[in-house]
Amino acid sequence: QVQLVESGGGPVQAGGSLRLSCAASSVTDSLACMAWFRQAPGKAREGVATLDNGGNPVYGDSAKGRFTVSRDNAKNTLYLQMNNLKPEDTATYYCVAHRNPFHCTHVLVTGVGEFDYMGQGTQVTVSS
């Protein structure tokens, strides 16, 4: 069973930066795609960022121009660099993974679908 462990969240002031990391416990084809999603209290899940099957970044509207997603396959780790953070970015950020390499992009774009694996989440709190 693959485990995803997020880290790097915390409190930050508006305009600041954070770098989230998601470490996978093992190398497996089950991690064909990985992505970041977030959820704030009382709000629906929101797709933040992923890398498509060609390794190209795909971002949700709220992340465009401010966030950068990357993956280190040698370390089985997905990253999310978040700059110019805003109070509306406050949420629990989850790392997810799926065995279908196209699935993460599909869910991020359509908002529909679940994942094979999901981490426990890391809280990001942005104060104004």
Side-chain angles (χ1 to χ4, degrees), residues 4-15:
L4 303 176
V5 180
E6 303 98 335
S7 61
V12 64
Q13 290 189 330

Side-chain angles (χ1 to χ4, degrees), residues 54-115:
N56 303 302
V58 179
Y59 297 104
D61 288 341
S62 61
K64 292 177 182 176
R66 300 186 299 127
F67 296 179
T68 302
V69 62
S70 60
R71 181 171 177 174
D72 186 334
N73 289 324
K75 296 182 178 180
N76 294 331
T77 301
L78 184 73
Y79 301 98
L80 184 68
Q81 177 67 42
M82 304 188 294
N83 298 327
N84 191 22
L85 283 161
K86 304 176 182 180
E88 50 265 42
D89 294 317
T90 295
T92 301
Y93 285 70
Y94 296 93
C95 175
V96 296
H98 200 274
R99 62 191 181 278
N100 182 328
F102 302 98
H103 187 74
C104 294
T105 300
H106 170 78
V107 177
L108 191 148
V109 171
T110 66
V112 177
E114 301 299 332
F115 297 93

